[in-house]
Amino acid sequence: MTLPNFLIIGAPKAGTTSLYDHMREHPQIFMSDPKEARFLAYQGQGGDRKRWPIQSLEEYEALFAPVTTETAIGEATPHYLIYPHVAGRIHELLPEAKLIASLRNPIDRSYSVYQMNRRNQGTNTGVAYAEALRSDHNLRETYADKLERYFALFPKERIRILLLEDLEGRPEAVMRGLFEFLGVDTDFKPDLSKISNPGGEPRIKLLHDLLANPGLREFGRKILPRGAIERLKDLRSSNLRKQPMSSADRKAALDVFREDILATQALIGRDLSHWLR
């Protein structure tokens, strides 16, 4: 039976897709396909396979059956950080696993989730960000309370916390550090030239809806060569444009996240004062 020995546990919209893509290039690292197994967040309720693609331990094991000589075996489900029961499930099934969490300024992450919901699901359409922030708890997700669940169960040396700004600003150093953390060749250099799964709002909504359709994406993943899939991803990304956040929205979000930023700073031992500006 082969199971992962490391997990990328989150956070959503904080660079986990880029981490996944960079890691899967390494010859000593095996990453599950699909990226988000979500199994350890699944509670046995059955239902939607699009939301819960892996619903049994046997199905979870099957994701890692293709492992050959790889020594670091992982998957990346960013919502593992969010669901309160997941830390305990990971500790029960994978007590020796190494854990990687990527954090992003929660204000920027919240705004990115808001934009993602508008473009992909139609939620918050016609609703200003400040209003959505008050009514949608998904836009107010915090870090400190969620990380504390993991620190209570796993030794700190098996938890690696990184910041998205570091991954974007000095990606070679970050990836080298992660390779060292996973015990694989630190001299390997993945392609760091592009950002995976960028945010923003679509220039052409119809094109985005077509390229983002879950059914079509799954069908294409099964029949198209990897190169063609990557070109479609590039097309989808190029159709997105960044929408800047207003100073009023940023101030409203800072009021929501200030206490969590300070608590996270104390928990991880990293100066996050720049998030408070």
Side-chain angles (χ1 to χ4, degrees):
M1 178 177 70
T2 301
L3 288 173
N5 53 30
F6 81 92
L7 300 167
I8 299 173
I9 60 173
K13 304 306 296 178
T16 60
T17 302
S18 291
L19 284 177
Y20 170 85
D21 286 342
H22 297 337
M23 286 183 172
R24 72 187 309 194
E25 291 182 42
H26 198 298
Q28 293 175 291
I29 298 178
F30 178 92
M31 299 299 296
S32 70
D33 186 8
K35 169 203 167 195
E36 298 185 25
R38 305 184 187 179
F39 172 66
L40 293 160
Y42 178 71
Q43 290 186 301
Q45 65 268 42
D48 188 359
R49 282 278 180 176
K50 291 179 181 177
R51 184 180 182 191
W52 305 112
I54 307 300
Q55 298 188 2
S56 71
L57 181 58
E58 290 74 21
E59 291 173 339
Y60 193 55
E61 292 170 2
L63 292 180
F64 307 99
V67 170
T68 54
T69 60
E70 299 90 348
T71 56
I73 303 162
E75 59 127 324
T77 297
H79 281 84
Y80 284 168
L81 187 63
I82 304 299
Y83 289 95
H85 64 280
V86 176
R89 289 202 67 190
I90 294 174
H91 188 261
E92 180 181 355
L93 184 64
L94 308 169
E96 302 301 318
K98 294 180 179 179
L99 307 173
I100 299 168
S102 176
L103 306 184
R104 178 183 188 179
N105 183 327
I107 297 169
D108 297 325
R109 197 193 76 83
S110 173
Y111 190 65
S112 183
V113 172
Y114 166 76
Q115 291 184 308
M116 178 183 69
N117 290 346
R118 282 164 55 94
R119 70 176 180 261
N120 289 351
Q121 300 166 9
T123 55
N124 295 325
T125 300
V127 180
Y129 171 72
E131 180 182 345
L133 183 64
R134 289 191 294 270
S135 61
D136 187 346
H137 70 91
N138 291 315
L139 302 183
R140 301 193 304 274
E141 293 286 2
T142 51
Y143 294 142
D145 57 326
K146 296 168 180 59
L147 289 170
E148 283 173 348
R149 300 174 191 142
Y150 286 93
F151 283 121
L153 293 173
F154 292 88
K156 283 193 173 183
E157 61 268 19
R158 281 203 270 116
I159 303 176
R160 177 61 59 95
I161 308 292
L162 61 94
L163 304 184
L164 178 62
E165 59 254 39
D166 292 336
L167 180 62
E168 293 177 338
R170 47 188 191 91
E172 287 189 11
V174 169
M175 294 310 301
R176 186 180 182 89
L178 288 176
F179 293 156
E180 182 179 14
F181 176 63
L182 296 176
V184 297
D185 180 11
T186 57
D187 290 330
F188 178 81
K189 292 180 172 55
D191 179 5
L192 303 172
S193 62
K194 63 181 180 179
I195 298 173
S196 303
N197 197 24
E201 298 202 10
R203 294 180 173 87
I204 304 172
K205 185 67 166 62
L206 182 62
L207 176 61
H208 175 80
D209 290 345
L210 179 64
L211 295 174
N213 182 280
L216 290 177
R217 290 174 69 183
E218 179 63 21
F219 180 71
R221 194 172 68 87
K222 291 178 179 178
I223 67 168
L224 295 176
R226 183 167 178 78
I229 293 174
E230 292 302 318
R231 286 192 290 274
L232 289 175
K233 285 182 180 179
D234 290 343
L235 177 60
R236 180 169 174 250
S237 298
S238 66
N239 187 46
L240 297 175
R241 60 184 173 188
K242 294 283 188 181
Q243 295 291 337
M245 191 178 192
S246 71
S247 58
D249 283 345
R250 184 168 291 277
K251 182 178 184 302
L254 180 56
D255 290 340
V256 171
F257 290 111
R258 183 185 305 276
E259 288 187 12
D260 181 60
I261 291 172
L262 293 172
T264 302
Q265 174 178 267
L267 182 66
I268 69 174
R270 178 82 187 263
D271 180 10
L272 301 177
S273 59
H274 55 291
W275 287 1
L276 295 168
R277 297 176 192 137

